[in-house]
Structures are given as structure tokens and as C-alpha cells.
Amino acid sequence: MNIRPLTASDAARVAPLMAELGYPTDPASFATRVAAVSANPDDGVLIAEHDGTIVGLVAVHSFEMLHRAGRLGRITALVVSASARNRGVGRQLLNAAEGHLRASGCIKLEVTSGEWRPEAHNFYAAHGYVEQRVHFVKNLAT
């Protein structure tokens, strides 16, 4: 298994993973978002590749906190292809994301996971993440 940064040339092969996560997208639109994330040094996308096939993805973001010293890291997407699940790919991606965020100076990590994903919640809990249920969201796009 090779964990590496996502490149622009990977976008078309990675877009189907976003559909598996529940966010279908066309490759061109996805490539535009990949370029925007890649242009920000505080953000990153890592992929898991096995025998030339991309089988997973994790997106990370970080920023300086005002209320305490240090940076906050966020994992906003983690998906493993259905064909590669239960083989340790998610664990490897999570470890790589944590390493990336730790190297960026993060002292605290958050992960976002939809209410409808109990398997994901169990996965994160098994890796030391603690659920904190108060989270407010306002969609500005509508």
C-alpha cells in the first residue's frame, strides 16, 4: 500500500470514491476543488494506492486557533473503496492524516462524520476519537 499526496492527474480516478462517500461529482468539478485544496499549504489530500488502483482518500485541513496556542486539524473526508474495506486501508490513511497534521503543528484533531455512518463512528472511536455532539452548521450556499 502506498499513501501519497493526491495530484491533479489523479482527479478522474478519485472522483468515484467521492460518490462512494455519498458526494457524487464529475471529474472536472472535482479537479477544480482538488486544485484549490492543493494550492493551500494548510490543506492536503492523501490517497491510498494498491497495485496502481486508488482505493482510498483522506482530506485534511489545519488552522491556527485563537483561544489557545497551536493549530487545529480537521479531517473532512475519509473514504475507502468498498472493494478494499476491512484491509487496514482506513487505518493507514488515518495514521497518515494524523502524521501530516501533527507535522503541521496541530495539537488537536477533529473529524466530521454524518449521523448516518455508525460504522465510521465506531472506526474513529476505536482510534481514540471522542464524540462531542454539539456542532452547529449553517449552509450559506442556499
Side-chain angles (χ1 to χ4, degrees):
M1 186 71 54
N2 181 34
I3 307 291
R4 64 172 176 81
L6 176 73
T7 65
S9 63
D10 296 320
R13 295 189 307 145
V14 174
L17 282 174
M18 297 308 292
E20 286 195 53
L21 189 57
Y23 302 99
T25 185
D26 64 274
S29 174
F30 185 66
T32 299
R33 291 193 305 276
V34 166
V37 168
S38 298
N40 186 341
D42 295 328
D43 298 339
V45 181
L46 303 171
I47 59 170
E49 192 170 33
H50 180 68
D51 290 337
T53 301
I54 296 173
V55 295
L57 165 145
V58 63
V60 297
H61 313 273
S62 67
F63 53 91
E64 197 68 37
M65 294 184 282
L66 182 61
H67 63 284
R68 66 190 289 193
R71 296 178 67 79
L72 174 65
R74 296 196 80 217
I75 297 170
T76 57
L78 192 154
V79 60
V80 174
S81 173
S83 65
R85 290 187 188 142
N86 299 310
R87 296 185 192 166
V89 177
R91 177 183 42 76
Q92 289 182 52
L93 283 167
L94 187 60
N95 288 342
E98 290 176 357
H100 175 90
L101 292 168
R102 190 175 285 112
S104 297
C106 293
I107 61 167
K108 183 178 180 181
L109 303 182
E110 297 179 338
V111 61
T112 305
S113 183
E115 290 284 335
W116 60 93
R117 301 183 193 282
E119 296 86 8
H121 303 167
N122 293 336
F123 171 80
Y124 292 120
H127 289 87
Y129 289 78
V130 178
E131 182 177 358
Q132 294 182 348
R133 300 216 26 116
V134 178
H135 184 86
F136 297 94
V137 176
K138 183 175 185 178
N139 189 347
L140 299 178
T142 58

